Amino acid sequence: MADGWQIIQNNLDVFLAATGVTVQVAVFGLAIGFVGGVILALSRLSSFRPLSWAATLYIEIIRGTPLLIQIFFIYFGFSAISPLLNFDAMTAGILALGFNSSAYQAEIIRGGIESVPKGQMEAARSIGMTRMQAMRFIILPQSFRLMIPAMTNEMVTLIKDTSLVSTITVVELTFVGKQLTSRYLEAVPILSFVALIYLILTFATSRAMRYLEKKYQIPGYGEAE
Amino acid sequence: MNQEEIIRAVNIHKSFKGHEVLKGINLSVSRREVVCIIGPSGSGKSTLLRCLNRITEPDDGEGLFEGKSIMGEDVDIDEVRSHMVMVFQSYNLFLHLTAKRNIMLALEKVRGMSKEEAEGRAMEALRKVGLENKANAYPGQMSGGQQQRVAIARAIAMEPRMVMFDEPTSALDPELTGEVLEVMKNLAYGGMTMVVVTHEMGFAREVADRVVFMDHGVIVEEGDPATIFTRPQNERTRQFLKRVLQDEPGPPPA
């Protein structure tokens, strides 16, 4: 039986490619989640009731059902609705993670928006800015700073959740880990190495976010921690 | 209609959760006039001010800005607000922007100025309040008095027809109120139209052209400061002034 380290070395290119897929799924998932999250958060805060209700309903359904079911639903279920929605595994996985993350990010963004002092909006409106301008130039820039810690959690969670798309045959890290384990029957070194790669990805993410938090800190405001 | 009239509020009503805060207010302010609104806490002064630019939506009543109604659905209230800018008790400077950028933002986004033009105007406004050396400071790096002066600079940089002050010195330490009142005095003597909700009786007496005394959601009495402070006609005005002037330094009014 081959030595564990030897297996890893021999398959390094496979691991590398799989890491690339994992990163790709995570990045696109987070991006879709962010755009969707902003739209959902603003909808929830809208004074137009039907819009706010629709956003709330969406968020509750997504948060209240398993991500794995959502992944299966988009991959297997959507093609039954319309042939136009027949996605390949990668696309389905990214969409599922993105739609899922948008619900969580929406709540983070809403929390961030609501923690900006009320006087900021009033000051912007009373000097003649429209609600949109006030949101864009005053409220959102401030709230993004406030939501960095919660956003870091969501990013780390999503990176780990990408492992679920292995179930719909996306050849990412977990998929490759399982495959090599059954080929070499050496679970411990292979899965440890897979876990290590996830750890590196999540650790790098949280450090990068910490750097952003410091960099975009508002001088003289909330500096004491 | 008086051609020099800037705003007129007619029969303004406002209730919060069944409690009537404004019970039919009529108020008119003319160009270059300084009107101080005084009265006990909870008398509706701040709510009245906020109803004038519809930051708080009145339940009933009419508001005219330069003779035109500002109450209808089709009114561009943002445009109106940019001409009757407000200064708040808690300054409300934009926390993520430097003093200069605080002033520039609305010049660029509301007035459509170029960056260079807005910057020039911002620096000029900062000079007027004596804070050009704080142009690149963030609100959190300035004292309350400095922040409020920047807030005033932000307001006057818009070259508004009128500035509304909502208890501009109430959140300040006593030793910092002087610098803000000084800036406001200069503004008043420079001919700015001002409506000032204030507890600073000294300021009202010295600077106001007209003092309005409010209590329990109505205007009880109004007139020139000499009359209001020395010969108030209404018992409630007398009681209020007696209470607040006891705490004031200097000789009481005759």
Side-chain angles (χ1 to χ4, degrees):
Chain A
M1 207 188 292
D3 164 48
W5 180 235
Q6 199 59 49
I7 298 172
I8 289 164
Q9 278 192 315
N10 291 344
N11 292 284
L12 213 51
D13 53 338
V14 180
F15 282 114
L16 217 60
T19 306
V21 174
T22 291
V23 168
Q24 213 175 321
V25 172
V27 168
F28 283 114
L30 282 168
I32 292 172
F34 182 70
V35 174
V38 171
I39 295 169
L40 282 168
L42 293 179
S43 304
R44 263 205 83 160
L45 294 170
S46 163
S47 53
F48 181 59
R49 286 294 179 76
L51 191 62
S52 151
W53 283 334
T56 307
L57 184 68
Y58 176 88
I59 291 167
E60 291 303 331
I61 289 174
I62 293 288
R63 291 200 309 177
T65 55
L67 172 55
L68 191 56
I69 298 293
Q70 294 163 17
I71 292 171
F72 288 163
F73 201 87
I74 291 184
Y75 188 51
F76 302 115
F78 271 27
S79 58
I81 298 169
S82 157
L84 288 174
L85 299 174
N86 190 4
F87 303 115
D88 63 87
M90 178 91 166
T91 311
I94 288 173
L95 286 178
L97 283 168
F99 292 163
N100 179 271
S101 186
S102 69
Y104 289 92
Q105 293 195 44
E107 289 297 272
I108 294 169
I109 294 165
R110 182 175 68 102
I113 290 172
E114 285 180 339
S115 51
V116 172
K118 212 168 126 263
Q120 298 287 301
M121 177 58 96
E122 282 186 353
R125 294 306 305 277
S126 74
I127 205 164
M129 281 188 228
T130 64
R131 176 168 285 277
M132 281 294 279
Q133 286 176 326
M135 265 291 162
R136 186 166 152 217
F137 299 114
I138 308 297
I139 307 299
L140 290 180
Q142 286 187 36
S143 61
F144 284 145
R145 289 169 170 85
L146 297 172
M147 60 183 81
I148 285 178
M151 224 22 132
T152 308
N153 276 338
E154 170 58 17
M155 292 171 80
V156 166
T157 302
L158 186 135
I159 290 170
K160 292 183 295 181
D161 283 348
T162 56
S163 68
L164 290 173
V165 303
S166 65
T167 57
I168 55 169
T169 71
V170 177
V171 187
E172 45 66 79
L173 267 174
T174 302
F175 188 90
V176 162
K178 260 187 344 191
Q179 213 176 31
L180 293 178
T181 301
S182 51
R183 187 189 311 162
Y184 295 100
L185 300 172
E186 280 281 0
V188 174
I190 294 171
L191 294 183
S192 299
F193 188 63
V194 167
L196 178 69
I197 296 176
Y198 280 113
L199 187 62
I200 291 169
L201 293 179
T202 53
F203 185 72
T205 303
S206 60
R207 295 314 294 181
M209 291 296 277
R210 189 85 193 96
Y211 171 78
L212 281 185
E213 190 180 357
K214 283 232 179 317
K215 184 170 172 196
Y216 289 107
Q217 196 151 48
I218 300 166
Y221 188 73
E223 258 171 359
E225 279 186 58
Chain B
M1 189 203 76
N2 179 353
Q3 219 192 345
E4 289 288 304
E5 182 178 84
I6 298 215
I7 53 156
R8 172 179 288 275
V10 183
N11 199 24
I12 298 287
H13 285 265
K14 180 68 188 177
S15 298
F16 290 110
K17 296 186 176 137
H19 173 65
E20 198 172 25
V21 181
L22 298 179
K23 301 170 183 168
I25 301 282
N26 296 293
L27 181 74
S28 141
V29 179
S30 303
R31 195 172 303 285
R32 302 172 80 87
E33 197 180 18
V34 176
V35 176
C36 283
I37 305 176
I38 61 171
S41 300
S43 56
K45 312 180 296 285
S46 291
T47 306
L48 170 61
L49 207 61
R50 297 162 59 88
C51 281
L52 293 181
N53 70 353
R54 287 177 59 197
I55 281 286
T56 295
E57 200 69 47
D59 298 333
D60 194 20
E62 178 62 281
L64 301 176
F65 177 73
E66 297 186 329
K68 289 197 240 355
S69 172
I70 62 164
M71 290 303 177
E73 289 284 328
D74 52 342
V75 173
D76 184 355
I77 191 68
D78 300 315
E79 166 75 13
V80 173
R81 283 175 183 153
S82 77
H83 296 297
M84 45 192 293
V85 178
M86 195 151 180
V87 172
F88 297 88
Q89 179 177 349
S90 47
Y91 339 128
N92 294 351
L93 288 181
F94 305 133
L95 298 168
H96 63 308
L97 300 178
T98 60
K100 187 172 70 179
R101 301 266 320 281
N102 255 280
I103 302 170
M104 287 169 63
L105 187 64
L107 295 176
E108 290 177 55
K109 304 303 172 191
V110 178
R111 289 279 187 266
M113 284 186 187
S114 72
K115 198 160 180 280
E116 293 70 30
E117 203 181 348
E119 187 167 7
R121 181 81 78 86
M123 289 310 295
E124 186 192 317
L126 281 173
R127 220 166 359 256
K128 279 186 191 150
V129 300
L131 285 175
E132 62 264 61
N133 61 334
K134 290 286 178 187
N136 294 314
Y138 286 86
Q141 297 169 319
M142 290 185 275
S143 73
Q146 290 170 335
Q147 288 188 61
Q148 193 61 295
R149 283 151 67 194
V150 173
I152 294 171
R154 180 172 70 179
I156 60 177
M158 296 295 283
E159 298 192 338
R161 314 269 217 286
M162 176 173 101
V163 182
M164 301 192 287
F165 294 84
D166 186 9
E167 303 194 21
T169 57
S170 296
L172 293 172
D173 292 335
E175 71 267 25
L176 297 178
T177 57
E179 57 185 86
V180 172
L181 293 175
E182 200 56 42
V183 166
M184 290 171 63
K185 272 180 210 167
N186 290 338
L187 203 55
Y189 297 145
M192 179 62 79
T193 309
M194 293 161 62
V195 180
V196 186
V197 169
T198 188
H199 293 293
E200 296 286 339
M201 296 304 143
F203 177 83
R205 214 175 332 183
E206 187 181 340
V207 182
D209 298 304
R210 183 153 50 102
V211 174
V212 174
F213 173 66
M214 276 182 76
D215 194 15
H216 291 108
V218 294
I219 292 179
V220 175
E221 187 169 352
E222 62 182 302
D224 63 277
T227 309
I228 294 285
F229 284 107
T230 57
R231 299 184 301 280
Q233 302 301 301
N234 189 289
E235 182 55 28
R236 276 146 85 187
T237 318
R238 258 197 293 275
Q239 288 299 326
F240 171 75
L241 288 173
K242 205 172 134 196
R243 259 199 329 274
V244 295
L245 292 178
Q246 267 170 0
D247 310 332
E248 289 240 328

